[in-house]
Amino acid sequence: MDEGLAGRGSLSLSLFLLLVISSLISAKSLYDPSDPILELDNDTFNSSVYGQKRAFFIEFYSSWCGACIGYAPTFKKFARQLESWSPIVQVTVVNCAEDKNMPLCREHQIAAFPTLKYFKYNSRSAEDATIFTGDKHDLPYLPFSVAQLVHDNWKTERPAEWPSFEAIAPSTTVREIWSAAETANLVAVVSQEEPSLLAWALTINYAGDKRVRTAIARPDHVQIVKEVGSSIDGKVLVYDKSGQRPVFISPEKPSFTDAQEKISEFLQQAIGDSLDKGAAAPGSNAQAPPPPGPPGGPPGRVVTSGGQKQHDPAVLADLSQYQMQLVDVESAIAYMLTREIPRRSRIEGEDLTSLKDWMGVMAKYAPGRTPTRRLLYRLNEWIQSKFSVTADDWMAQVASLQMELGNPLPAEITWLACRGSSPNLRGYTCGLWTLGHAVTVEAYTAEKNNLSFNSVHSVLSPFRHFIVRFLSCGECAANFAKEAEKHNLEAAIKSEDMVMWLWNTHNSVNTRLSGAPAEDPKHPKRTFPPKEICRQCWRSDGSVDQDATLQFLVNYYGNVKNDPVKPDPEYTVKTFQDGKVVEAEKRHFNPRFGVNGAEKVDKLERAEQRLQLERATLDTAPLRSGRELDDFKNELLGSPSSSRGNSQFLLISLSIIAFLVILGYCKYRRNRSKFWKTFYYSNDFKLPWHSDPVKQYTA
């Protein structure tokens, strides 16, 4: 029997993990099929990357991450620059926001987005990857950085399929180079000392194009000095078959794009009519212009016309976004626990300390329904005793608590007020801000009369460290750390300062991100609260009334709405009379739990622990893993906590009453016997008393 229960429990746990991983919000890719980028997922990654005769330069990104959304146009331009490099190094992406890619991204220890990695030639595992630490935004230099990685890889592996990166001998002539490349239409000689970044980049670019032969020469090469007139580092000389003199000598140290475009231009001239008129030569970056967008560009954005900036009329805010919805809070908690925290394979050191501090805040002040807060309470108790936690242990513990408490967290991540116009907009970041504000308001409500309460140590500092260490949008996390310093987090000691500090910081972030690529055009960034929902928060001179704003924030984030995303299941109850329906009433299955503030659940949990201890001691029925909310209502109010407690009290009362009845009866019997003896021996009708009873009866 126990083995069967254990098996079913293990199966349920596995099913829950599968459900969480497979049913979370679908994530829209930031890249199109028209981009020269290979997009891989958990099913295709290993077979596409491992054991291949080429390298891979991979961006691990998340489609909801604002930094990734902003970086996507740059990465597309970079991929277009390296389109001809694919036989040597393939530009690739993996969307870690996709549910199925969560194990893949955890295997590669992707804790922040975007993360760029170089997978070497013939990679076998994640250990063969190198994290790119250069400036990923420096588009002119980025090809050189990748060329450096490829060159270093070549020096170690010496792949037969790759071109040589060795420099030609100082005495090698251009004629000798031509003789080694009979099919070539052009020869490009790059004069450069080590590291020969431009030479390596051009060698990779034309490795698959037999019409161009590249050669790496040192600046003191005999023929280079003869042609240029001196020893100059970083020049490109282009030769065609018409003669031994170069048809083009570049300026010193051109960019990769400039050198590539110039070589492609001379290649088109060299092959003449063999190319279709207007077609781009292989290795060229020429591409069709993008299709025109709607007139004026997206609404509410800056557009360019004739070199002049113009502003469209401002987009009016969708006021439906200004709601405090339970759906968003619970989805943010679920995404945080099941996706964000377990992204790294192991949590330890300062990361674990930050996680413990934040879970303590969540267990104490996070709003929501009682089962959700009980889950946070138990998860906090569990994590506090750990010195190191693996992602698998964390996920298993969350899943176990979900099962114990009736799955209070949603398996499907759904956004209501935080829903964006596209699946990758708003969502978790909106939900995380909402949760943070709700926590500060709950802490303010609970601690405003507590003179020893320090909001920095108790709430704000744990929130900051959690964001910096666990928010997977790396650029967002770094910017939040800057905001904390900018707005002097350490000074927000009082409970009311805490609420206003996070409000002010959030508005500062909104101002900075207004008009950014990650902004939702239907939900533009604006100062909160807008006048449409809090007119009393604004004075006539346009300044903010701090007291009115504080009261508004407390009321706003303390009023959690429980609007259903989908209608509750319902059934019809019909009343018949004389065989006819006279009334039909709609009823719902599973009535929704009420939404409460962050009430403390420690009493409720201690009562549960006492009950489990009693049952374990008495070796009675198997322990219950959860209890109905109503069983603990009285205990939370300071009264007896459960029907079991009431039954015990009644039993004790009845026992006392029974004891008193028995005691009274015994006393009564004793007194009754004494009464009759007194009556017999003391009344006038008693027989004379004799010391000798024999004489008495024989007289």
Side-chain angles (χ1 to χ4, degrees):
M1 182 67 177
D2 292 341
E3 292 178 357
L5 289 174
R8 287 195 295 271
S10 177
L11 178 61
S12 299
L13 183 62
S14 300
L15 288 175
F16 169 76
L17 287 172
L18 180 63
L19 181 63
V20 168
I21 293 175
S22 64
S23 63
L24 291 178
I25 185 170
S26 60
K28 179 182 178 182
S29 173
L30 299 182
Y31 300 97
D32 302 321
S34 60
D35 297 319
I37 296 173
L38 176 64
E39 184 146 17
L40 300 176
D41 58 27
N42 192 63
D43 295 334
T44 60
F45 186 90
N46 290 358
S47 60
S48 300
V49 174
Y50 297 149
Q52 300 300 311
K53 304 305 180 183
R54 57 177 176 168
F56 292 83
F57 193 72
I58 303 179
E59 179 200 14
F60 293 88
Y61 76 97
S62 173
S63 54
W64 60 258
C65 166
C68 300
I69 296 172
Y71 182 61
T74 299
F75 199 72
K76 289 180 180 182
K77 292 178 181 178
F78 161 73
R80 189 70 62 186
Q81 284 183 326
L82 270 62
E83 186 172 5
S84 298
W85 294 32
S86 58
I88 308 299
V89 55
Q90 172 67 57
V91 178
T92 311
V93 294
V94 173
N95 185 3
C96 292
E98 283 284 356
D99 307 330
K100 65 189 303 183
N101 295 338
M102 183 177 177
L104 174 64
C105 297
R106 185 185 301 136
E107 176 188 355
H108 292 276
Q109 302 184 39
I110 308 301
F113 305 120
T115 293
L116 302 179
K117 283 192 172 188
Y118 175 82
F119 286 77
K120 69 178 186 178
Y121 169 89
N122 200 26
S123 291
R124 297 296 180 182
S125 68
E127 302 299 324
D128 290 331
T130 302
I131 297 179
F132 177 73
T133 57
D135 186 355
K136 59 181 175 288
H137 295 279
D138 189 350
L139 195 55
Y141 192 80
L142 196 51
F144 295 153
S145 299
V146 178
Q148 175 80 66
L149 293 169
V150 173
H151 171 265
D152 295 346
N153 192 180
W154 172 82
K155 287 184 66 177
T156 303
E157 303 287 340
R158 296 284 176 166
E161 299 85 358
W162 287 12
S164 173
F165 293 93
E166 296 282 4
I168 59 176
S171 60
T172 303
T173 65
V174 175
R175 183 181 297 277
E176 292 173 334
I177 298 175
W178 275 112
S179 63
E182 297 179 355
T183 62
N185 297 96
L186 290 180
V187 166
V189 180
V190 186
S191 166
Q192 197 169 29
E193 289 284 7
E194 290 271 5
S196 309
L197 298 179
L198 176 60
W200 298 338
L202 291 174
T203 299
I204 298 169
N205 189 77
Y206 293 105
D209 191 344
K210 296 185 180 299
R211 299 168 304 171
V212 179
R213 173 73 163 90
T214 58
I216 303 173
R218 299 300 177 223
D220 59 354
H221 187 275
V222 175
Q223 193 160 358
I224 297 297
V225 173
K226 179 180 178 181
E227 299 293 352
V228 177
S230 61
S231 176
I232 296 179
D233 184 23
K235 283 203 171 189
V236 179
L237 287 72
V238 179
Y239 296 83
D240 63 13
K241 290 185 176 181
S242 62
Q244 294 298 311
R245 299 297 304 276
V247 295
F248 171 75
I249 299 177
S250 74
E252 189 174 354
K253 295 181 180 180
S255 69
F256 165 73
T257 302
D258 290 342
Q260 180 194 39
E261 290 179 349
K262 203 66 180 178
I263 293 175
S264 297
E265 176 185 331
F266 279 98
L267 179 61
Q268 286 182 329
Q269 295 178 7
I271 61 180
D273 295 336
S274 62
L275 286 178
D276 294 335
K277 187 177 181 179
S284 170
N285 282 335
Q287 55 181 309
R301 298 293 175 270
V302 178
V303 295
T304 303
S305 176
Q308 300 295 323
K309 290 186 176 180
Q310 299 177 347
H311 291 268
D312 285 346
V315 177
L316 295 178
D318 181 356
L319 296 183
S320 65
Q321 74 184 92
Y322 298 115
Q323 293 179 350
M324 176 66 181
Q325 289 285 355
L326 176 67
V327 171
D328 296 326
V329 173
E330 290 188 338
S331 289
I333 294 174
Y335 196 92
M336 175 193 302
L337 298 184
T338 61
R339 299 299 297 275
E340 287 289 273
I341 291 174
R343 287 196 187 280
R344 59 202 73 196
S345 58
R346 181 174 294 275
I347 306 171
E348 54 192 357
E350 294 184 2
D351 289 340
L352 183 60
T353 300
S354 299
L355 179 59
K356 288 180 177 181
D357 291 344
W358 176 239
M359 290 310 302
V361 174
M362 291 283 288
K364 195 171 185 180
Y365 299 119
R369 298 176 293 180
T370 301
T372 302
R373 290 184 282 113
R374 292 183 70 191
L375 184 147
L376 294 172
Y377 180 92
R378 295 185 185 185
L379 189 58
N380 176 57
E381 281 197 328
W382 175 80
I383 194 65
Q384 295 301 331
S385 63
K386 303 297 180 181
F387 297 98
S388 178
V389 177
T390 65
D392 291 338
D393 290 342
W394 174 271
M395 289 291 291
Q397 182 65 17
V398 172
S400 176
L401 293 177
Q402 277 276 81
M403 290 297 180
E404 290 179 12
L405 297 168
N407 297 307
L409 293 179
E412 181 179 356
I413 302 299
T414 306
W415 308 109
L416 198 56
C418 283
R419 181 183 301 160
S421 60
S422 175
N424 62 303
L425 298 178
R426 305 185 73 227
Y428 176 64
T429 51
C430 169
L432 188 59
W433 275 115
T434 302
L435 177 62
H437 288 297
V439 165
T440 61
V441 166
E442 292 291 351
Y444 166 80
T445 303
E447 310 291 353
K448 59 183 177 181
N449 296 322
N450 182 2
L451 298 179
S452 63
F453 177 74
N454 185 310
S455 67
V456 174
H457 297 155
S458 300
V459 176
L460 291 181
S461 184
F463 183 65
R464 171 182 60 184
H465 291 304
F466 177 79
I467 295 298
V468 170
R469 293 186 176 275
F470 286 92
L471 182 61
S472 56
C473 177
E475 186 175 316
C476 307
N479 286 331
F480 186 82
K482 295 177 182 178
E483 293 285 349
E485 295 181 4
K486 174 182 175 182
H487 296 286
N488 194 11
L489 179 145
E490 299 297 332
I493 298 175
K494 298 180 180 179
S495 58
E496 57 269 25
D497 297 337
M498 165 183 59
V499 177
M500 299 302 289
W501 183 89
L502 192 61
W503 162 78
N504 187 47
T505 301
H506 193 175
N507 278 333
S508 176
V509 171
N510 281 347
T511 300
R512 179 171 52 83
L513 296 180
S514 179
E519 183 181 26
D520 192 330
K522 292 189 177 180
H523 302 279
K525 304 289 186 183
R526 39 185 332 205
T527 301
F528 182 84
K531 293 181 180 179
E532 293 90 335
I533 65 173
C534 184
R535 195 162 296 277
Q536 70 274 16
C537 296
W538 298 88
R539 299 189 181 98
S540 57
D541 60 357
S543 61
V544 176
D545 187 321
Q546 297 284 328
D547 294 335
T549 301
L550 173 62
Q551 189 58 48
F552 169 82
L553 294 173
V554 171
N555 294 335
Y556 178 86
Y557 289 107
N559 179 23
V560 184
K561 301 181 183 299
N562 195 14
D563 296 337
V565 177
K566 299 178 181 178
D568 291 331
E570 64 180 15
Y571 59 96
T572 303
V573 176
K574 298 180 180 180
T575 303
F576 293 85
Q577 184 175 351
D578 298 331
K580 297 180 180 180
V581 178
V582 295
E583 184 179 4
E585 179 183 1
K586 297 288 187 181
R587 295 185 182 178
H588 292 269
F589 292 105
N590 300 326
R592 302 177 65 84
F593 291 107
V595 181
N596 301 314
E599 300 172 2
K600 296 179 180 179
V601 295
D602 51 348
K603 292 183 179 179
L604 184 128
E605 286 296 319
R606 284 199 296 268
E608 178 75 10
Q609 293 169 4
R610 287 198 305 269
L611 178 63
Q612 292 180 350
L613 181 60
E614 289 174 8
R615 287 182 169 176
T617 303
L618 296 174
D619 193 25
T620 58
L623 297 179
R624 284 185 295 177
S625 58
R627 299 177 64 184
E628 296 296 329
L629 300 180
D630 292 341
D631 291 344
F632 299 95
K633 181 178 179 181
N634 290 332
E635 178 167 332
L636 292 175
L637 296 175
S639 302
S641 62
S642 68
S643 58
R644 177 181 174 90
N646 292 333
S647 300
Q648 292 176 343
F649 176 76
L650 180 60
L651 181 61
I652 294 173
S653 301
L654 292 175
S655 300
I656 294 174
I657 293 173
F659 174 76
L660 293 176
V661 170
I662 294 172
L663 182 64
Y665 177 74
C666 292
K667 189 71 174 176
Y668 162 74
R669 290 293 301 271
R670 178 184 177 188
N671 290 340
R672 181 173 178 272
S673 175
K674 183 178 181 181
F675 169 78
W676 286 110
K677 287 180 180 180
T678 303
F679 176 78
Y680 179 79
Y681 291 110
S682 301
N683 62 57
D684 295 337
F685 301 98
K686 68 181 180 179
L687 295 174
W689 177 258
H690 295 280
S691 59
D692 187 353
V694 176
K695 292 182 179 180
Q696 175 181 342
Y697 290 104
T698 58

